[in-house]
Amino acid sequence: AGTGGQGDNAEVWFLNNESWSLLINLSDEFNTSSDTVLNLSVAYNKLFASTGGPQSSSPIHIYDGSSWTTGTSITGCNSAMMSIVNDELWIGSCNGIVMKYDNHNWTMMGNTGELYNSHFKLFHNFIFVGTYGDGIIYSTEIQMVKMFLPLLLR
């Protein structure tokens, strides 16, 4: 479970039998001003945690079962949301940024031009992304995903 609030409280907790235990305070461990863990995703036998807060970048932290590292940090944005699509980790962030991680590389997948991208889902060979701001939904064919050609659906 991820927690948060104001004041550098980006914590990850786990359920151990019937009680919750603190796994890590990401704000303290990585010396950031992250206020919250926005979401957690599991891919490639690793736990990914995206954080949000007043800082000017959004770090994505990775836990391999024994230690934490920072996988990437999205500059110019203080929050990021993650989804697993077609066995790859997709990240939506501020200013329309779209990225994916394939267990080896972080790749920019284009920009929707929207204020904020949230959740990604695969449906009938299309990847859909919901946005915040204008509430527009974009999609792209999975085969064309390297080019990320967004199509406006109405």
Side-chain angles (χ1 to χ4, degrees), residues 35-152:
D35 286 341
T36 187
V37 173
L38 290 172
N39 74 329
L40 301 168
S41 290
V42 175
Y44 319 111
N45 205 29
K46 299 172 187 167
L47 177 66
F48 294 78
S50 66
T51 59
Q55 72 273 10
S56 61
S57 66
S58 181
I60 307 295
H61 301 291
I62 305 170
Y63 182 59
D64 65 6
S66 61
S67 63
W68 286 88
T69 59
T70 300
T72 191
S73 191
I74 302 168
T75 58
C77 182
N78 65 358
S79 59
M81 294 296 288
M82 301 177 295
S83 299
I84 304 298
V85 176
N86 209 29
D87 296 324
E88 294 176 316
L89 180 70
W90 283 73
I91 300 168
S93 193
C94 302
N95 304 317
I97 295 170
V98 177
M99 297 178 70
K100 76 172 182 171
Y101 179 68
D102 65 5
N103 199 27
H104 301 289
N105 301 301
W106 295 92
T107 306
M108 284 293 295
M109 298 305 294
N111 192 308
T112 63
E114 296 299 318
L115 177 64
Y116 186 78
N117 299 313
S118 57
H119 300 285
F120 296 84
K121 295 294 178 192
L122 179 65
F123 182 69
H124 290 293
N125 278 342
F126 288 86
I127 295 176
F128 291 83
V129 60
T131 65
Y132 173 79
D134 294 329
I136 297 172
I137 298 172
Y138 289 89
S139 73
T140 185
E141 287 188 65
I142 190 84
Q143 293 85 359
M144 300 175 69
V145 88
K146 290 189 186 251
M147 296 171 26
F148 195 76
L149 300 173
L151 302 172
L152 178 60

